[in-house]
Amino acid sequence: MAEQELQRTVDALRRKIAEQDRTIARMQHLARFDALTDLPNRSVLAQNAEQAIEQARAGMRPLAVMFLDLDRFKNINDSLGHRVGDALLAALAARLKSAVRERDTVSRLSGDEFMLILPDTDSAGASHVAQKLIARTLPAFQVANQELSITPSIGIAMYPTDGDDFDALSQSADAAMYRAKRGGRGTYRFFTREMQAEAARALQVENALSRAQERGQLELYYQPLIDLTSGRVTGAEALMRWHHQELGSVPPAEFIPVAEASGLVGPIGEWALRHALRQLRTWMDAGLPALTMAVNLSAAQFHHAELPSLATEILQETRLPAELLELELTEGAAMQNPQHAIAVMADLHARGIRVSIDDFGTGYSSLSYLKRFRVHKLKIDQSFIRDIPDDEDDKAIVGAIVHMASSLGLRTTAEGVETEAQLAFLRQQGCDEAQGYLFSRPLAPAMFEAFVRDLQDQA
């Protein structure tokens, strides 16, 4: 009996020791590998990179470092939740690892950022691997009963031309990745020396932009929207301007992508929406007619779950009817996640808020989706207006957009109208509205008010 009791005690002790060993092994593993993807973490990545660089230096062998970032991954987290986002990252990690050799290192840095170390890989080999990685991500992922598509942007740095240590190579690959994003996303770019200056500028812009709002450096200008039948001003498009003491006037084409990449676009976009509607309230209190206020949305803003309630809240604060707010979304942003876009547009429509598709004709939207989008207006991209009436293709495209919109019960606005010939063609086709330098440049609030009053006096 005593022997049996002793054996049970020994067995229990062995199980406890085995459990402790498993716990220690698990802790040791977590100290070196990412808990979500089971890829090597930053510590292992740095060790492997330094070892690979030493071997490349000793043998005068090539080495490639890749920085991979997912395009618009934040939209998935915002619209579907972090649980779905995490599952997508885990599935992606498996695909990335299957695309490279056993000796290569694939590491998750944080969020949706990955880095790869590819020993004995020249530029041709790096290009081949990048194409292979992009191809592996193309098939849709099945995650939590959702079919999700994602694309990566990849930056490539080569040892030793782009850096002779891991930090330098990482910075170069990071800079190249941002160039890939600006090049259309879902692609790759090799580092060039020009990118270093661009990266430094982007960092300078990001740091300055983070304090621009509190320092009162942001302002809105307003471009009139003109009804092509009556000639009256029907609305205003709010356009953001930023003047920095050292950087000077920074164009939106430069600072908006930085705001999107850094997460600043949310608070800046909310400021613009609130500021624009307050300005409309001020104009109406001063006796101007009720005008539509068009405010541009970034893709990140549009996919944020709180957008409809935020817009309603600001409308209530400013005592404005919902139909005076027009939220502009680019065609490309709407097509990132069409099903989600349909749901958000339906919510906004139910609240009385209007939605327009900006830059229409450039985003390759499906007509089947356009029919389901609850939109009020299509804004014809200025690239189709520029060469009217000389370019027959542009004339055909613009005419087709106007007639299609009319058949769907949608209004049309032509952007970038600069000549009387363009205006005459648009009127002939039945376009509803236009904006552009032919009528007015974007104006400061007081000048916009004066512009509207002048047209009223001429009527």
Side-chain angles (χ1 to χ4, degrees), residues 227-239:
D227 183 271
L228 295 189
T229 300
S230 67
R232 292 181 177 275
V233 177
T234 57
E237 180 179 359
L239 299 168

Side-chain angles (χ1 to χ4, degrees), residues 141-203:
F141 292 82
Q142 297 292 333
V143 179
N145 297 321
Q146 298 275 349
E147 188 174 272
L148 302 177
S149 297
I150 198 78
T151 58
S153 290
I154 302 174
I156 307 172
M158 302 300 301
Y159 171 86
T161 54
D162 301 331
D164 60 1
D165 60 33
F166 182 48
D167 286 342
L169 288 168
S170 298
Q171 292 173 9
S172 297
D174 190 20
M177 182 274 295
Y178 278 106
R179 172 60 69 86
K181 283 191 178 293
R182 291 197 298 273
R185 305 175 187 266
T187 187
Y188 66 94
R189 291 289 186 272
F190 283 89
F191 176 78
T192 64
R193 287 298 164 189
E194 291 78 10
M195 293 179 187
Q196 197 67 46
E198 291 179 2
R201 167 75 178 188
L203 180 60

Side-chain angles (χ1 to χ4, degrees), residues 26-267:
R26 177 62 178 164
M27 292 175 63
Q28 290 175 338
H29 184 82
L30 290 175
R32 295 175 53 81
F33 293 86
D34 176 49
L36 176 63
T37 63
D38 205 37
L39 294 176
N41 61 16
R42 285 177 178 269
S43 175
V44 176
L45 172 70
Q47 293 174 11
N48 290 359
E50 294 299 342
Q51 183 179 1
I53 291 171
E54 285 298 325
Q55 292 173 349
R57 183 179 293 119
M60 300 185 67
R61 303 290 298 168
L63 169 74
V65 173
M66 290 186 177
F67 197 109
L68 184 151
D69 183 270
L70 296 181
D71 301 327
R72 304 182 179 94
F73 177 75
K74 187 176 184 297
N75 294 343
I76 292 176
N77 273 341
D78 289 345
S79 59
L80 300 177
H82 288 273
R83 182 180 63 85
V84 173
D86 286 350
L88 176 60
L89 290 175
L92 172 71
R95 291 193 189 181
L96 297 181
K97 195 170 182 179
S98 70
V100 299
R101 304 166 301 184
E102 186 70 27
R103 61 185 299 199
D104 298 328
T105 300
V106 182
S107 173
R108 178 178 176 238
L109 300 181
S110 63
D112 60 330
E113 297 178 339
F114 296 81
M115 185 165 281
L116 294 85
I117 308 297
L118 310 175
D120 289 325
T121 302
D122 59 14
S123 58
S127 179
H128 174 74
V129 172
Q131 294 174 32
K132 191 175 179 182
L133 292 170
I134 293 170
R136 290 289 172 92
T137 64
L138 286 179
F141 292 82
Q142 297 292 333
V143 179
N145 297 321
Q146 298 275 349
E147 188 174 272
L148 302 177
S149 297
I150 198 78
T151 58
S153 290
I154 302 174
I156 307 172
M158 302 300 301
Y159 171 86
T161 54
D162 301 331
D164 60 1
D165 60 33
F166 182 48
D167 286 342
L169 288 168
S170 298
Q171 292 173 9
S172 297
D174 190 20
M177 182 274 295
Y178 278 106
R179 172 60 69 86
K181 283 191 178 293
R182 291 197 298 273
R185 305 175 187 266
T187 187
Y188 66 94
R189 291 289 186 272
F190 283 89
F191 176 78
T192 64
R193 287 298 164 189
E194 291 78 10
M195 293 179 187
Q196 197 67 46
E198 291 179 2
R201 167 75 178 188
L203 180 60
Q204 187 181 18
V205 169
E206 180 180 340
N207 289 336
L209 188 59
S210 65
R211 299 184 295 274
Q213 185 179 338
E214 65 184 61
R215 292 180 177 178
Q217 297 170 349
L218 298 177
E219 57 183 336
L220 293 180
Y221 275 50
Y222 302 89
Q223 187 166 37
L225 298 170
I226 308 297
D227 183 271
L228 295 189
T229 300
S230 67
R232 292 181 177 275
V233 177
T234 57
E237 180 179 359
L239 299 168
M240 192 177 298
R241 297 292 184 262
W242 176 29
H243 185 81
H244 187 269
Q245 187 174 0
E246 297 176 1
L247 299 175
S249 294
V250 185
E254 180 178 8
F255 73 78
I256 293 299
V258 173
E260 291 178 334
S262 62
L264 294 170
V265 74

Side-chain angles (χ1 to χ4, degrees), residues 367-384:
L367 294 181
S368 64
Y369 280 119
L370 181 61
K371 185 173 63 175
R372 298 165 63 190
F373 287 161
R374 299 304 296 267
V375 299
H376 173 70
K377 181 190 298 180
L378 302 182
K379 298 193 72 175
I380 306 170
D381 188 70
Q382 61 183 333
S383 63
F384 300 116

Side-chain angles (χ1 to χ4, degrees), residues 153-454:
S153 290
I154 302 174
I156 307 172
M158 302 300 301
Y159 171 86
T161 54
D162 301 331
D164 60 1
D165 60 33
F166 182 48
D167 286 342
L169 288 168
S170 298
Q171 292 173 9
S172 297
D174 190 20
M177 182 274 295
Y178 278 106
R179 172 60 69 86
K181 283 191 178 293
R182 291 197 298 273
R185 305 175 187 266
T187 187
Y188 66 94
R189 291 289 186 272
F190 283 89
F191 176 78
T192 64
R193 287 298 164 189
E194 291 78 10
M195 293 179 187
Q196 197 67 46
E198 291 179 2
R201 167 75 178 188
L203 180 60
Q204 187 181 18
V205 169
E206 180 180 340
N207 289 336
L209 188 59
S210 65
R211 299 184 295 274
Q213 185 179 338
E214 65 184 61
R215 292 180 177 178
Q217 297 170 349
L218 298 177
E219 57 183 336
L220 293 180
Y221 275 50
Y222 302 89
Q223 187 166 37
L225 298 170
I226 308 297
D227 183 271
L228 295 189
T229 300
S230 67
R232 292 181 177 275
V233 177
T234 57
E237 180 179 359
L239 299 168
M240 192 177 298
R241 297 292 184 262
W242 176 29
H243 185 81
H244 187 269
Q245 187 174 0
E246 297 176 1
L247 299 175
S249 294
V250 185
E254 180 178 8
F255 73 78
I256 293 299
V258 173
E260 291 178 334
S262 62
L264 294 170
V265 74
I268 289 176
E270 180 178 343
W271 173 86
L273 180 59
R274 195 179 301 275
H275 197 78
L277 291 179
R278 285 175 177 173
Q279 182 60 66
L280 180 57
R281 178 74 267 170
T282 299
W283 284 331
M284 292 175 64
D285 290 343
L288 257 62
L291 303 173
T292 298
M293 179 59 73
V295 180
N296 292 281
L297 294 178
S298 70
Q301 286 176 275
F302 179 72
H303 290 286
H304 197 284
E306 300 301 319
L307 171 66
S309 59
L310 173 65
T312 298
E313 174 190 319
I314 299 174
L315 285 165
Q316 291 172 347
E317 287 177 4
T318 51
R319 299 175 288 109
L320 290 171
E323 63 267 18
L324 294 186
L325 173 60
E326 185 175 295
L327 298 176
E328 293 192 2
L329 180 72
T330 65
E331 188 180 4
M335 291 305 297
Q336 285 181 23
N337 188 336
Q339 294 298 334
H340 179 68
I342 290 169
V344 175
M345 290 180 189
D347 189 351
L348 292 168
H349 179 80
R351 297 167 184 263
I353 298 168
R354 294 173 173 175
V355 176
S356 65
I357 300 295
D358 197 12
D359 301 337
F360 188 79
T362 64
Y364 312 106
S365 65
S366 166
L367 294 181
S368 64
Y369 280 119
L370 181 61
K371 185 173 63 175
R372 298 165 63 190
F373 287 161
R374 299 304 296 267
V375 299
H376 173 70
K377 181 190 298 180
L378 302 182
K379 298 193 72 175
I380 306 170
D381 188 70
Q382 61 183 333
S383 63
F384 300 116
I385 306 297
R386 187 178 299 118
D387 294 327
I388 289 173
D390 301 320
D391 191 304
E392 293 298 324
D393 290 338
D394 284 343
K395 289 171 64 177
I397 290 171
V398 171
I401 293 174
V402 171
H403 298 146
M404 177 193 65
S406 178
S407 67
L408 292 174
L410 307 178
R411 289 178 63 81
T412 47
T413 300
E415 300 179 296
V417 178
E418 297 183 353
T419 69
E420 291 289 348
Q422 294 168 348
L423 178 60
F425 175 80
L426 292 166
R427 280 181 170 149
Q428 181 187 35
Q429 295 301 310
C431 185
D432 298 299
E433 290 178 333
Q435 64 185 109
Y437 287 3
L438 177 64
F439 309 105
S440 173
R441 294 173 177 269
L443 302 169
M447 295 180 67
F448 181 92
E449 181 177 346
F451 179 85
V452 176
R453 294 193 188 281
D454 285 344

